[in-house]
Amino acid sequence: MNRRSLLSGGLLAATAGLAVHQSLPYRMPIRRQRRSRVAVLRCDRYEAVADVVMNGLRLLAPAVHGKRVLLKPNLVEYSVAAPINTNPALIAAVVESLYRLGAASVIIGEGPGHVRDTDLLLFESGLQSQLDAVGRCRFVDLNFEPVSRIVPHTGLTHFDEIWLPNPVLSADVVISMPKIKTHHWAGVTLSLKNLFGVVPGSIYGWPKNLLHWQGIDNSIVELAAAIPIHFVIADGIEAMEGNGPLNGSVKRLGCIVFSDDPVAADATCCRLMGIDPNRVRHLQMASPLGNLDSSRIDQRGESIERMKQQFALLPEFVHLRG
Amino acid sequence: MIRGWSEVESFVTIHDRIVSRLPRVPGQGTEEAALKLLALRKSGADPNTLIRMQHPSGGWPGFLGIGPPSAFHTGLALVALRPFQTPSVQPVAERAFGWLSVLDGLESHWLWRWKFRVFDKQVQFDPMKSGWPWVEGTVSWVAPTALSILAFRSWRHESDRVRTAVDMLLDRACPRGGWNAGNSVAFGFELSPHPDFTAMALLSLRGLTQADLPLVRTSLDYLAKRLEDSQSMYSLAWAVMALSAYSHGGARRLRQELEKAVTTQPAIGSTRVLALAALALEDPPYIFQEVIP
């Protein structure tokens, strides 16, 4: 057997193995509600977020009274030019509103995927000054918090165990607060992809490259199956199109999306971006966790048709267009 | 360089204040234990806490008994154990070097090298040049590679891997200087350098490359400029050590910023950050290449 035939044989075996693995049924917990609720509220500028956030939370009334709430924003890297992170003004407004609705405690947790110096990111992004102004809300760096072991059950990844930060696992209510963005590997990065930030860098490194090697879609869904997201508040005031999540351009979508179902939230965000959520692989895979189908979503606030914009997509993702 | 006495006294006082506080600050992880051990190495620190955290494979995970061993933590632990000449340290180090020697970035395997050359071209790097991954089963990244190089160098442990790892760091530097987490260009965009990864890379390359290499010079200038108004003790500490290692003029300014940050942020309770600040505020600053007596 010569080198070429050995190489061909190896590749064939690897491809066959991958095909078999991808075709195996995976085991997802069923969390889909009969109907899900989503509100799309118009908001053109961050100076006006306080009232919009309060209206959105009153509209969908998440059960936060007396609860320990963890907000998981999307805080990746700071750039003067690109809207990479969930805006600090929106995060601060959510903290204030949750306390007004009777939350026992609100903490903000994030483990930036590229940056080890979270203090620097907090200072430069402006989140630290917002939190100082709000008071009574601390930030926990999920990259360095104590962790507990989770045994994944979906079979989507080869992980025997995943270590996740205790503040996430012990919260009564987890609110995912993504920035609405395109993503050069996953198509979109919304409330489910936002969960990459809970994986602790002190165990898996910066970036959390182990997740990429398990398949980005598989990892997103594995994490979503392990960590229930109870509510979503997505920052679409200034979203990102094109080469997201870091190098895309500003897209002024002019709205905030609220939902009690992360899959419904992400599906709605996709529709607002001119993307068919059924064509986004990780959303399709995560459908047992929520409602992808618009007929099962009670839509409040603005209509999608009125707010929808065509987001620029990288050539490899044009097939996602709705 | 001659400094005023009040300046020397001020540095010593702040450094001593941190060092006296460090033993009382709790810290659970390997990084904290290793940095604390280094910062207290002249104050009777006990290496056994760190030794007990070693994984049976020889590497160190981020936390005792939790998760996979990591090259970053293993490199750092080896550097931290180097000043201790107790009989228990040598076999521990040998096991650790054994573990590091067989751990390689995935791109070092011919199959992945071929994949990166033929299909996966969105991230630009030379897959022939590999260093160390954070954990097994991933490609090489800057921080674990830099810390592993520092470990091999501080123990004077000969390995061909160091040369390849140095090549990998030089290959993956950002086009305008400095280092990102692991790559320089992705999806057609230049990635921005990060202060801590830049400092780690520079410390590991000291003496292995020409100090007047344009990349070294631009990276040092980047560090000095990037943090001149920063309040982050963590990045400032790494930058002070790297700039000091090359006798760069920016070291003094950043050291003053670090000193200011330590005094104005008394609530900082992270062992990791305090220990790094203590190392950077030593006189002269610790530069990860101490001469072992």
Side-chain angles (χ1 to χ4, degrees):
Chain A
M1 184 181 284
N2 61 25
R3 189 183 161 114
R4 179 172 291 185
S5 58
L6 190 67
L7 183 68
S8 307
L11 284 175
L12 194 63
T15 309
L18 187 66
V20 168
H21 178 259
Q22 294 295 325
S23 64
L24 288 174
Y26 49 93
R27 301 170 294 280
M28 291 289 291
I30 307 293
R31 290 201 204 116
R32 196 189 299 119
Q33 314 162 58
R34 203 170 60 81
R35 301 197 66 76
S36 301
R37 296 178 304 153
V38 176
V40 179
L41 300 192
R42 187 184 291 273
C43 186
D44 294 326
R45 54 198 178 89
Y46 287 103
E47 291 77 11
V49 286
D51 289 342
V52 179
V53 166
M54 200 63 215
N55 290 342
L57 289 172
R58 284 201 173 118
L59 202 57
L60 298 193
V64 296
H65 193 272
K67 301 285 176 62
R68 292 165 303 162
V69 181
L70 178 122
L71 299 183
K72 165 62 181 75
N74 191 210
L75 194 60
V76 191
E77 272 190 37
Y78 177 64
S79 159
V80 179
I84 294 171
N85 306 315
T86 308
N87 191 280
L90 175 61
I91 299 168
V94 171
V95 174
E96 297 268 26
S97 297
L98 289 169
Y99 276 123
R100 285 169 68 184
L101 291 171
S105 66
V106 182
I107 60 171
I108 297 167
E110 170 65 308
H114 301 182
V115 174
R116 284 193 105 231
D117 189 351
T118 308
D119 285 342
L120 189 64
L121 187 53
L122 288 175
F123 287 130
E124 293 185 336
S125 67
L127 182 54
Q128 188 61 57
S129 58
Q130 288 281 349
L131 294 183
D132 290 344
V134 170
R136 64 174 179 169
C137 180
R138 69 189 173 95
F139 181 93
V140 291
D141 187 346
L142 300 178
N143 280 327
F144 293 100
E145 284 292 304
V147 292
S148 293
R149 182 172 177 263
I150 295 290
V151 177
H153 292 293
T154 67
L156 282 165
T157 63
H158 294 114
F159 294 129
D160 297 327
E161 59 182 22
I162 305 176
W163 295 89
L164 294 174
N166 291 344
V168 175
L169 300 175
S170 62
D172 299 320
V173 177
V174 173
I175 299 181
S176 180
M177 292 189 63
K179 185 77 163 177
I180 296 178
K181 292 187 288 188
T182 49
H183 191 282
H184 54 215
W185 282 333
V188 291
T189 169
L190 300 163
S191 76
L192 297 179
K193 171 66 178 64
N194 189 29
L195 288 174
F196 267 36
V198 309
V199 175
S202 58
I203 293 174
Y204 298 104
W206 285 260
K208 290 118 189 210
N209 192 219
L210 209 59
L211 299 176
H212 302 139
W213 282 91
Q214 295 289 325
I216 198 160
D217 296 315
N218 293 3
S219 294
I220 292 170
V221 181
E222 187 79 272
L223 288 172
I227 305 163
I229 296 171
H230 303 95
F231 203 76
V232 175
I233 302 172
D235 178 2
I237 299 172
E238 286 183 354
M240 182 184 281
E241 65 177 354
N243 192 354
L246 300 178
N247 295 304
S249 313
V250 180
K251 186 75 169 177
R252 296 183 198 286
L253 195 53
C255 65
I256 304 173
V257 177
F258 301 78
S259 180
D260 61 2
D261 172 345
V263 177
D266 288 7
T268 301
C269 290
C270 283
R271 292 180 179 112
L272 289 166
M273 300 164 86
I275 287 170
D276 179 355
N278 292 293
R279 297 180 191 172
V280 177
R281 186 163 178 261
H282 70 261
L283 285 183
Q284 199 182 41
M285 292 164 68
S287 59
L289 302 175
N291 283 308
L292 200 55
D293 188 342
S294 58
S295 67
R296 289 179 173 273
I297 297 173
D298 293 330
Q299 173 77 40
R300 315 261 180 104
E302 303 288 341
S303 73
I304 289 174
E305 282 312 312
R306 183 179 295 181
M307 300 299 294
K308 178 179 169 179
Q309 297 188 32
Q310 288 294 331
F311 275 48
L313 301 174
L314 291 177
E316 45 273 56
F317 289 109
V318 289
H319 67 279
L320 299 183
R321 287 222 187 279
Chain B
M1 181 172 39
I2 299 169
R3 290 182 302 225
W5 170 249
S6 60
E7 197 181 344
V8 173
E9 186 185 36
S10 146
F11 288 150
V12 170
T13 305
I14 291 169
H15 171 262
D16 288 355
R17 215 184 301 160
I18 299 173
V19 165
S20 64
R21 186 178 160 193
L22 261 179
R24 301 192 302 274
V25 184
Q28 296 180 322
T30 299
E31 186 175 358
E32 292 174 314
L35 289 172
K36 194 167 164 176
L37 186 63
L38 265 182
L40 300 175
R41 68 196 182 286
K42 295 170 185 167
S43 314
D46 177 7
N48 284 312
T49 304
L50 183 59
I51 289 173
R52 280 194 292 271
M53 298 173 92
Q54 190 178 28
H55 189 268
S57 64
W60 269 265
F63 295 91
L64 174 62
I66 290 177
S70 129
F72 174 83
H73 293 104
T74 303
L76 185 59
L78 279 164
V79 172
L81 289 173
R82 183 67 181 106
F84 297 89
Q85 304 289 319
T86 57
S88 59
V89 169
Q90 191 64 36
V92 164
E94 279 170 17
R95 285 218 314 280
F97 279 116
W99 183 81
L100 272 182
S101 298
V102 294
L103 180 71
D104 210 343
L106 272 185
E107 72 273 35
S108 66
H109 190 278
W110 68 266
L111 181 63
W112 298 114
R113 199 174 283 168
W114 175 77
K115 174 181 175 277
F116 283 120
R117 278 180 179 265
V118 178
F119 294 113
D120 211 344
K121 293 181 175 174
Q122 297 287 23
V123 180
Q124 289 175 25
F125 66 95
D126 183 350
M128 297 298 283
K129 297 166 181 168
S130 67
W132 279 270
W134 284 92
V135 294
E136 190 181 0
T138 62
V139 292
S140 317
W141 295 91
V142 169
T145 299
L147 268 294
S148 299
I149 292 172
L150 286 170
F152 277 94
R153 297 188 68 194
S154 66
W155 282 82
R156 296 189 176 89
H157 195 101
E158 295 294 323
S159 171
D160 294 341
R161 294 283 308 279
V162 171
R163 189 68 250 168
T164 326
V166 166
D167 290 344
M168 173 246 156
L169 286 180
L170 295 174
D171 176 59
R172 300 199 196 180
C174 296
R176 278 176 276 191
W179 279 264
N180 191 280
N183 299 302
S184 55
V185 177
F187 291 86
F189 281 85
E190 283 184 18
L191 300 178
S192 306
H194 294 177
D196 51 350
F197 297 140
T198 299
M200 291 174 203
L202 285 167
L203 284 164
S204 72
L205 292 174
R206 180 175 171 267
L208 296 178
T209 55
Q210 294 169 322
D212 59 351
L213 198 69
L215 170 62
V216 171
R217 209 172 53 245
T218 54
S219 301
L220 290 166
D221 292 344
Y222 153 77
L223 264 188
K225 180 79 180 156
R226 175 71 175 79
L227 296 171
E228 61 186 3
D229 295 316
S230 175
Q231 302 169 59
S232 168
M233 286 166 57
Y234 167 81
S235 285
L236 281 169
W238 274 111
V240 166
M241 291 187 278
L243 292 171
S244 302
Y246 289 85
S247 304
H248 188 279
R252 189 173 172 193
R253 164 79 190 270
L254 294 197
R255 188 166 166 146
Q256 287 168 345
E257 291 298 322
L258 175 60
E259 187 188 15
K260 202 188 324 173
V262 171
T263 50
T264 57
Q265 299 172 44
I268 294 284
S270 159
T271 308
R272 186 172 62 97
V273 175
L274 280 176
L276 275 171
L279 290 166
L281 291 178
E282 286 182 6
D283 199 11
Y286 180 72
I287 56 169
F288 281 80
Q289 287 178 38
E290 201 166 49
V291 176
I292 309 301

